[in-house]
Amino acid sequence: MSEARDGKFRDRLRERLLATAEGIVTEEGLAGLQARRIAQDADCSIGTIYNIFGDIDGLILETNARTLDELGRLLGAAARRSEGRDLEAWLTTLALAYLDYATANQRRWRAVFEHHLPETKEFPQEHRENRRRMLALIEAQLEASINEPDARSVAANALFSSVHGIVLLSLDGKLLPFDPAKSERQIRFLISRAVLGIEHTAQG
Amino acid sequence: MSEARDGKFRDRLRERLLATAEGIVTEEGLAGLQARRIAQDADCSIGTIYNIFGDIDGLILETNARTLDELGRLLGAAARRSEGRDLEAWLTTLALAYLDYATANQRRWRAVFEHHLPETKEFPQEHRENRRRMLALIEAQLEASINEPDARSVAANALFSSVHGIVLLSLDGKLLPFDPAKSERQIRFLISRAVLGIEHTAQG
């Protein structure tokens, strides 16, 4: 086999493994992503998974990266649609898009945050960059009200994490049974008050 | 054996199983909480676990309830120490106590939120009440600035979930490597701005 054909074969195999993993995580969540199971469903050997992705964590990271890409495109579209609107309206639109995505793709979305590498392994830099793109969107929007770049990064992180926490605990239904209208009220409350506080501080 | 002695024996067994489960979750996290393993470490049969706790989920819920009790006592103490301080100082003290507890007891704290019952089972009411006690603390503190009880409940939920999200994503280290000082800055930012917004709204 020529090197080019060999490369193509490997790409197709890689694609098939990722599509299989995506199907499993959609149906069963992170717990379903086990090497033996994926190999069987994709009709290849476990060795092939290790050969292409290093280990099962490598395959899971790639599967989660696809979910994050999809989520990133969705939030990017919401951001473009909200261009020119005020900070509160812009942040609320993005946060509600995040809530809707997480609600509709709950198992895949949870897998992104539930997957933990063994404590001895560091989180790979390229996947960290991938996640930071969502934060960069928010940081850009805060430029008008928070001058100092470091404070802006703290603010973007805090706002993203807050919305994430509201969505996560709402979906868990451990405090109250899940009710999307209640999550939306919490998101609207948090963003409206935080933006008031940010603008009040900026003027003061 | 008399009924009284029988009850005592059962209580001791129950206590031993919970202490064993607590030790395992402290060392290994939720993944270690398996019936066979707990039975072996506690020197009893798997049947005993089912007999006392219904099923493994029942034992995990009780183990997590102990973590929540400990966390609740800690937050209760922080709340008493902060009595009479303004809303921002009070909320910040509690949120930082939450961050410290989660950081120091990471595996046990995560187990509380990572444990999910099978989708067919509803979350038991008594455990829900257990969790709502933390919210009640915050709600009481918001009485002066948010009149309407329903809006107050939304606010308390949103603030608790926001701090939870900040602590969780900071500890995960997937956006940035974990740095307690950065988490603290995010918490201080979020609470100061939200409180400004809440007070601004209350006056308006």
Side-chain angles (χ1 to χ4, degrees):
Chain A
M1 208 156 29
S2 74
E3 260 184 50
R5 277 189 60 193
D6 202 28
K8 256 196 178 163
F9 177 74
R10 198 183 157 92
D11 285 350
R12 277 207 307 272
L13 207 51
R14 183 188 162 82
E15 180 52 39
R16 193 164 82 216
L17 282 163
L18 283 172
T20 303
E22 208 162 30
I24 294 174
V25 80
T26 304
E27 290 300 317
E28 297 168 31
L30 186 62
L33 288 187
Q34 279 154 353
R36 186 185 303 272
R37 165 75 188 282
I38 300 167
Q40 196 172 17
D41 285 16
D43 199 19
C44 68
S45 73
I46 295 182
T48 306
I49 293 181
Y50 296 152
N51 190 281
I52 296 183
F53 297 97
D55 54 21
I56 184 68
D57 288 317
L59 173 51
I60 295 174
L61 281 171
E62 288 300 326
T63 307
N64 284 342
R66 288 187 158 204
T67 304
L68 281 171
D69 279 345
E70 189 178 275
L71 174 59
R73 283 194 299 276
L74 193 90
L75 296 180
R80 276 191 301 281
R81 250 196 345 270
S82 308
E83 236 175 56
R85 300 185 68 192
D86 64 37
L87 184 59
E88 181 182 342
W90 189 93
L91 283 171
T92 305
T93 304
L94 256 82
L96 295 180
Y98 190 78
L99 170 65
D100 289 347
Y101 183 85
T103 308
N105 304 280
Q106 203 176 142
R107 295 199 193 89
R108 279 168 68 207
W109 174 75
R110 276 184 192 280
V112 170
F113 298 96
E114 282 176 0
H115 176 239
H116 298 291
L117 291 172
E119 289 177 20
T120 49
K121 263 197 200 168
E122 222 189 308
F123 198 74
Q125 193 56 35
E126 77 256 34
H127 288 284
R128 196 165 271 157
E129 287 310 319
N130 201 332
R131 282 155 199 252
R132 287 191 50 79
R133 252 179 266 144
M134 281 189 277
L135 289 179
L137 263 178
I138 305 173
E139 277 181 48
Q141 208 63 22
L142 292 172
E143 260 178 44
S145 29
I146 306 179
N147 283 325
E148 212 262 299
D150 201 43
R152 204 155 59 223
S153 152
V154 168
N157 249 291
L159 290 168
F160 174 79
S161 301
S162 297
V163 171
H164 178 79
I166 292 174
V167 172
L168 184 69
L169 294 188
S170 298
L171 285 173
D172 276 352
K174 286 177 178 174
L175 293 166
L176 302 165
F178 176 57
D179 172 355
K182 283 214 170 132
S183 317
E184 184 172 333
R185 273 189 78 187
Q186 287 184 46
I187 287 173
R188 288 185 184 280
F189 164 83
L190 183 88
I191 291 179
S192 65
R193 297 315 185 274
V195 168
L196 260 177
I198 289 171
E199 287 171 350
H200 194 81
T201 308
Q203 287 157 11
Chain B
M1 208 156 29
S2 74
E3 258 183 55
R5 278 189 61 193
D6 201 28
K8 258 198 176 163
F9 177 73
R10 198 183 156 91
D11 285 350
R12 277 207 309 270
L13 207 51
R14 182 187 162 82
E15 181 52 39
R16 192 164 84 217
L17 281 164
L18 282 173
T20 304
E22 209 163 30
I24 294 174
V25 81
T26 303
E27 289 301 317
E28 298 168 32
L30 186 61
L33 289 186
Q34 278 153 356
R36 186 184 304 271
R37 164 77 188 282
I38 300 167
Q40 196 172 15
D41 285 16
D43 199 20
C44 69
S45 73
I46 296 182
T48 306
I49 293 180
Y50 295 152
N51 190 282
I52 296 184
F53 296 98
D55 54 23
I56 183 66
D57 286 318
L59 173 51
I60 295 175
L61 281 171
E62 288 299 326
T63 308
N64 284 342
R66 286 185 160 206
T67 303
L68 281 171
D69 278 346
E70 190 180 273
L71 174 59
R73 281 193 300 276
L74 191 90
L75 295 180
R80 274 190 302 281
R81 248 194 348 268
S82 309
E83 236 176 56
R85 300 185 68 192
D86 64 37
L87 183 58
E88 181 183 340
W90 189 92
L91 282 171
T92 304
T93 304
L94 256 80
L96 295 180
Y98 190 77
L99 170 65
D100 290 346
Y101 183 84
T103 307
N105 304 280
Q106 204 176 140
R107 296 200 192 89
R108 278 167 68 206
W109 175 74
R110 276 184 192 280
V112 170
F113 297 96
E114 282 176 0
H115 177 239
H116 297 292
L117 292 171
E119 289 178 20
T120 48
K121 262 197 199 168
E122 223 189 309
F123 198 76
Q125 193 57 35
E126 77 257 33
H127 289 284
R128 193 164 274 156
E129 286 310 320
N130 202 331
R131 283 155 198 251
R132 287 190 53 78
R133 251 178 268 144
M134 282 189 277
L135 290 178
L137 263 179
I138 305 173
E139 276 180 50
Q141 208 64 20
L142 292 171
E143 259 178 45
S145 29
I146 305 177
N147 282 325
E148 210 262 301
D150 201 41
R152 203 155 60 224
S153 152
V154 168
N157 250 292
L159 290 168
F160 174 79
S161 302
S162 296
V163 171
H164 178 78
I166 292 175
V167 171
L168 184 68
L169 294 188
S170 298
L171 286 174
D172 276 352
K174 286 177 181 174
L175 294 166
L176 301 167
F178 176 57
D179 172 355
K182 282 212 170 133
S183 317
E184 184 171 335
R185 273 190 78 187
Q186 287 184 46
I187 286 172
R188 287 186 185 279
F189 164 84
L190 183 89
I191 290 178
S192 65
R193 297 316 184 273
V195 168
L196 259 176
I198 289 169
E199 287 171 350
H200 195 80
T201 309
Q203 287 156 12

